[in-house]
Amino acid sequence: MLLRKQHADPALLTMYEEMIQEAAARIAAIDAQMDALIAMNPRLKQPVECLLTMPSIGRLLIINLLVVTEGFTRHVDARELASYLGICPFPYESGVSVRRRPQADGAGPARVRKLLYLAAMRLRTHHPEMRAYYERKTAAGKSGRLVLNNLANRTLRVMCGLLTAGQPYAPHYHSPKPC
């Protein structure tokens, strides 16, 4: 941003570059420490490695899910976790006359919800099946945010399936009992 200013001070630019390099070094140290903690715990190492095989899912999302689920011991059911995170749509009905479209309440931890949303956006652009789903639903008149929320729910469902099965992600797997 300072580069676009008319009077960019070189001293300020070097100071900001040093701050950015220092922050990047701290982030790298924290990442290494988290990786070491996961590697030391064999109960966490296998699920994390399974989840890392899934496309568009990064370490930050997995580590946040580790915290939310207390090491994958609570909320491992996809519906329960989606409800806890606030990404499952709830119907709005009051008696007979008041009805609205279902909406997600967004009551859970916002950080995990944001990371799931970002993963859904990445899947929308880089995963052919998810891209086809997104385009089909938006062509049918659904809003883009609604379809991204659906993609986040699908992603969460696949992640919970990988955790319960203990298997790595298989890109061309089709369930014998689809939902």
Side-chain angles (χ1 to χ4, degrees):
M1 185 159 152
L2 283 176
L3 294 175
R4 290 184 271 165
K5 299 290 183 187
Q6 231 175 359
H7 303 287
D9 187 14
L12 278 176
L13 290 175
T14 57
M15 183 177 70
Y16 278 128
E17 288 174 5
E18 290 172 2
M19 288 172 50
I20 289 171
Q21 290 173 354
E22 183 180 330
R26 286 183 182 178
I27 289 171
I30 290 170
D31 286 344
Q33 191 174 17
M34 286 190 291
D35 290 340
L37 286 173
I38 289 172
M40 284 180 5
N41 191 341
R43 191 180 62 80
L44 297 179
K45 185 178 179 182
Q46 193 268 338
V48 168
E49 288 175 356
C50 281
L51 290 177
L52 281 174
T53 61
M54 190 172 171
S56 300
I57 302 300
R59 284 197 185 282
L60 193 57
L61 174 59
I62 294 171
I63 289 172
N64 277 282
L65 277 176
L66 265 171
V67 171
V68 167
T69 61
E70 296 176 5
F72 302 126
T73 58
R74 290 183 47 208
H75 303 299
V76 183
D77 179 46
R79 288 182 182 209
E80 182 181 340
L81 186 57
S83 177
Y84 176 72
L85 294 176
I87 61 172
C88 67
F90 289 106
Y92 184 88
E93 297 175 349
S94 176
V96 181
S97 62
V98 180
R99 297 184 194 281
R100 292 189 203 158
R101 293 185 321 206
Q103 292 181 338
D105 62 353
R111 184 175 185 88
V112 182
R113 209 171 37 250
K114 177 182 89 170
L115 291 170
L116 272 170
Y117 184 78
L118 291 173
M121 287 177 65
R122 185 164 170 86
L123 282 169
R124 175 192 66 184
T125 57
H126 297 293
H127 197 272
E129 291 177 14
M130 299 293 188
R131 184 179 329 126
Y133 174 79
Y134 182 83
E135 290 171 357
R136 186 175 71 242
K137 290 297 182 179
T138 52
K142 304 289 183 187
S143 72
R145 290 185 62 102
L146 172 87
V147 181
L148 281 173
N149 191 42
N150 292 350
L151 287 177
N153 273 309
R154 280 182 164 208
T155 305
L156 193 63
R157 208 169 42 225
V158 170
M159 290 173 75
C160 289
L162 293 177
L163 287 174
T164 56
Q167 300 289 327
Y169 178 76
H172 301 293
Y173 175 78
H174 292 287
S175 174
K177 298 185 281 185
C179 302

